[in-house]
């Protein structure tokens, strides 16, 4: 049965989609059965996995709003399976307002897929609204990418407050799977200081591997592929492979 992990941080530009795409691909390469659910209306994870979002026939929007079978939305790629997103998802929060048990729409759909996968990753939008709430209710745990920059910890208190509220009222089993340091530059004292501070705030939860600032990681999405297909020998690819190995050791 799949572990469902929401990749979440309401701050933009911290590496949520980069992590969702490349960690899915890294685990897929180990032989794990992986599904990436793109729950961000920008659909960057969809294109990052090599899927042309303009030609998608059924997206996660159709699954939660139009009752399309989740199996019919899945697209198989060489890097893992994808439940694609679309721009229409941006209006889903409004359309769900009058729906009973609206926080559980995604959970109900993904539950139908749990037996088919080892891991289901949910790439969340950069906000704490109804779409993200659906992801938190659907997930067993969350993975938090934290950028090694000045404002790294700003806003994490809001995320932790949301996590506590969701645990109390909607999903009592939700927990932190791990915290991943991203855009790390080991040559600077500042990156190391931020890393120490994050480890102090989340003892025992921070991955030993930090994702470095890496040009190849930034370039790969423009080619519509994970970094492993773009430059397997890059530091970014090696780092995500190391994180995948850490995840396996957690099992």
């Amino acid at each position: 049965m799949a572990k469902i992990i929401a990749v979440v941080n309401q701050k933009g530009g911290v590496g949520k989609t980069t992590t969702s795409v490349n960690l899915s691909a890294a685990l897929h390469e180990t032989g794990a059965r992986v599904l990436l659910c793109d729950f961000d209306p920008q659909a960057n994870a969809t294109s990052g996995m090599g899927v042309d979002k303009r030609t998608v026939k059924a997206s996660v929007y159709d699954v939660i709003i139009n009752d399309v079978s989740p199996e019919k939305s899945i697209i198989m790629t060489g890097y893992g399976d994808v439940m694609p997103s679309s721009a229409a998802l941006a209006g889903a929060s409004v359309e769900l307002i009058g729906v009973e048990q609206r926080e559980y729409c995604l959970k109900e759909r993904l539950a139908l897929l749990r037996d088919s996968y080892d891991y289901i990753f949910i790439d969340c939008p950069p906000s704490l609204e109804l779409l993200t709430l659906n992801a938190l209710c659907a997930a067993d745990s969350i993975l938090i990418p934290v950028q090694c920059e000045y404002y790294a910890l700003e806003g994490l208190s809001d995320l932790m407050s949301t996590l506590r509220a969701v645990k109390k009222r909607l999903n009592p089993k939700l927990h932190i799977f791990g915290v991943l340091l991203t855009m790390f530059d080991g040559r600077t004292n500042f990156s190391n200081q931020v890393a120490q501070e994050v480890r102090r705030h989340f003892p025992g939860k921070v991955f030993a591997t930090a994702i470095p600032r890496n040009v190849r990681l930034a370039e790969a999405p423009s080619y519509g592929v994970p970094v492993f297909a773009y430059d397997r020998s890059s530091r970014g690819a090696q780092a995500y492979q190391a994180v995948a190995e850490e995840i396996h050791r957690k099992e």
Side-chain angles (χ1 to χ4, degrees), residues 17-18 29 65 89 93 136 170 177 181 225 230 247:
T17 299
T18 297
E29 286 206 340
I65 299 296
L89 187 62
S93 292
L136 293 177
L170 300 168
F177 182 80
L181 298 166
V225 294
Y230 181 61
I247 290 175

Side-chain angles (χ1 to χ4, degrees), residues 25 28 34 45-46 48-51 74-83 224 226:
H28 174 75
V34 183
T46 298
M49 290 287 278
V51 176
I74 293 172
I75 297 173
M76 292 182 288
T77 78
Y79 323 113
D81 291 356
V82 182
M83 183 180 288

Side-chain angles (χ1 to χ4, degrees), residues 55-238:
T55 62
V56 168
K57 294 181 180 178
S59 71
V60 68
Y61 169 84
D62 298 297
V63 171
I64 66 169
I65 299 296
N66 297 327
D67 291 324
V68 169
S69 167
E71 291 89 349
K72 291 183 178 178
S73 72
I74 293 172
I75 297 173
M76 292 182 288
T77 78
Y79 323 113
D81 291 356
V82 182
M83 183 180 288
S85 185
S86 69
L89 187 62
S93 292
V94 175
E95 294 179 70
L96 288 171
I97 286 175
V99 176
E100 189 175 349
Q101 298 284 292
R102 60 184 178 270
E103 299 93 350
Y104 298 103
C105 290
L106 182 63
K107 178 178 182 176
E108 292 171 359
R109 293 356 180 242
L110 292 184
L112 301 173
L113 302 172
R114 291 193 80 136
D115 290 339
S116 300
Y117 294 97
D118 300 307
Y119 298 97
I120 298 176
F121 289 98
I122 307 171
D123 185 32
C124 297
S127 60
L128 294 177
E129 40 83 50
L130 188 53
L131 290 181
T132 300
L133 188 58
N134 257 262
L136 293 177
C137 288
D140 304 311
S141 60
I142 63 172
L143 191 160
I144 310 170
V146 178
Q147 186 179 6
C148 291
E149 301 261 333
Y150 181 72
Y151 294 112
L153 297 175
E154 185 179 278
L156 279 182
S157 59
D158 291 337
L159 178 59
M160 291 302 101
S161 295
T162 300
L163 176 60
R164 286 191 292 271
V166 170
K167 279 175 65 70
K168 183 177 180 180
R169 300 171 187 169
L170 300 168
N171 184 3
K173 295 183 179 179
L174 186 65
H175 63 278
I176 297 175
F177 182 80
V179 178
L180 182 64
L181 298 166
T182 62
M183 304 177 198
F184 178 76
D185 186 347
R187 300 169 299 179
T188 68
N189 288 332
F190 187 70
S191 271
N192 286 296
Q193 289 169 3
V194 171
Q196 289 175 7
E197 189 70 5
V198 172
R199 289 191 171 98
R200 187 174 69 83
H201 274 77
F202 299 97
K205 293 293 185 181
V206 182
F207 286 98
T209 304
I211 306 302
R213 283 195 174 276
N214 182 247
V215 173
R216 294 294 190 249
L217 278 176
E219 291 174 345
S222 65
Y223 291 87
V225 294
V227 70
F228 300 96
Y230 181 61
D231 186 351
R232 179 175 296 276
S233 64
S234 67
R235 291 193 306 131
Q238 292 171 0

